[in-house]
Amino acid sequence: VITFAATDDWEKYDEKDGITVYTKKSDSGLNCVKGEGVLNFNANVIEDFAFQSETKPKCDDGCEESVCLESYGDDIKFEYLRYKGKLLVSGRDFVNVSVKYTDSEGRIIISAYSVPYADKPEQDGYVRGEIKRAGWIITPDKDDEDKAHVTYVTEIDFAGSLPTALVNSVNTKQGFYLVELAKELKKEFE
């Protein structure tokens, strides 16, 4: 996640409420998205809130379900996510594993990718997508413990045949997930 986010081939797409969104093509041709900005919350608060399965539907109106299937301690979880279809396009679902840790520089890293999971086969009416890589880098502000620089990156294969414009729109919207996360954090903690 750190290396992926740090590459210099990201192109600025847009900015909203202090969050800047960048896009690029992956080596496999997928559209990738990066959102980053400073959130006015403690890094540990952001990490705890972002890692909860219940948070995703609150911050992403396309997500209709996010459930923790299995967890190992506080740092590893298998999660099922289901997204609404649009018009004539089937919904998508994903099963991923997420791992979080703090590196030697004090950054909180959350890394996620899709995995097969026998107890959660593909669901009728949904196409199983693949999260190639996604994650968070939450860097505490050195001067203010109630601020953190947050980077959120995704590389998602939505699978099936989808109109390019729809894929690009959905992907790019993911970069602004941080805007919605900040709004939900304010509701929860202020």
Side-chain angles (χ1 to χ4, degrees):
V1 170
I2 294 170
T3 304
F4 180 53
T7 60
D8 59 4
D9 54 347
W10 293 97
E11 293 180 23
K12 185 175 178 180
Y13 171 78
D14 201 0
E15 217 171 311
K16 178 180 174 184
D17 296 339
I19 303 301
T20 305
V21 173
Y22 302 87
T23 61
K24 74 173 186 168
K25 292 275 188 198
S26 71
D27 293 339
S28 60
L30 295 171
N31 288 317
C32 304
V33 177
K34 173 172 76 168
E36 66 180 357
V38 174
L39 299 186
N40 294 317
F41 291 92
N42 178 280
N44 292 310
V45 170
I46 296 168
E47 170 245 327
D48 286 341
F49 196 69
F51 201 66
Q52 294 173 20
S53 296
E54 301 81 26
T55 298
K56 190 74 172 168
K58 292 177 184 176
C59 300
D60 184 344
D61 61 3
C63 182
E64 59 185 351
E65 183 179 10
S66 177
V67 178
C68 179
L69 300 171
E70 187 175 355
S71 63
Y72 297 90
D74 294 331
D75 301 329
I76 300 171
K77 70 175 177 178
F78 289 84
E79 187 172 35
Y80 174 74
L81 299 136
R82 188 173 66 202
Y83 289 82
K84 301 172 191 169
K86 294 187 185 247
L87 299 172
L88 301 174
V89 177
S90 297
R92 297 299 190 261
D93 70 351
F94 303 86
V95 175
N96 7 300
V97 62
S98 297
V99 178
K100 66 179 178 173
Y101 64 95
T102 303
D103 72 6
S104 60
E105 296 178 32
R107 298 176 296 189
I108 301 165
I109 314 298
I110 300 173
S111 182
Y113 55 90
S114 289
V115 293
Y117 195 84
D119 292 340
K120 198 65 168 175
E122 293 185 32
Q123 305 295 301
D124 287 341
Y126 291 85
V127 175
R128 180 64 47 97
E130 181 181 3
I131 296 174
K132 299 281 190 181
R133 55 185 156 181
W136 301 78
I137 304 165
I138 305 167
T139 306
D141 187 291
K142 291 181 170 110
D143 300 320
D144 185 344
E145 69 177 28
D146 290 326
K147 284 187 178 184
H149 182 271
V150 181
T151 302
Y152 176 66
V153 292
T154 64
E155 179 183 359
I156 302 171
D157 182 351
F158 289 97
S161 58
L162 293 169
T164 302
L166 178 63
V167 171
N168 289 343
S169 171
V170 171
N171 258 337
T172 305
K173 186 179 175 187
Q174 286 297 306
F176 289 114
Y177 182 82
L178 292 178
V179 172
E180 299 307 316
L181 182 75
K183 289 177 185 175
E184 289 300 322
L185 281 163
K186 284 180 184 175
K187 286 183 197 174
E188 188 80 19
F189 297 104
E190 287 186 350

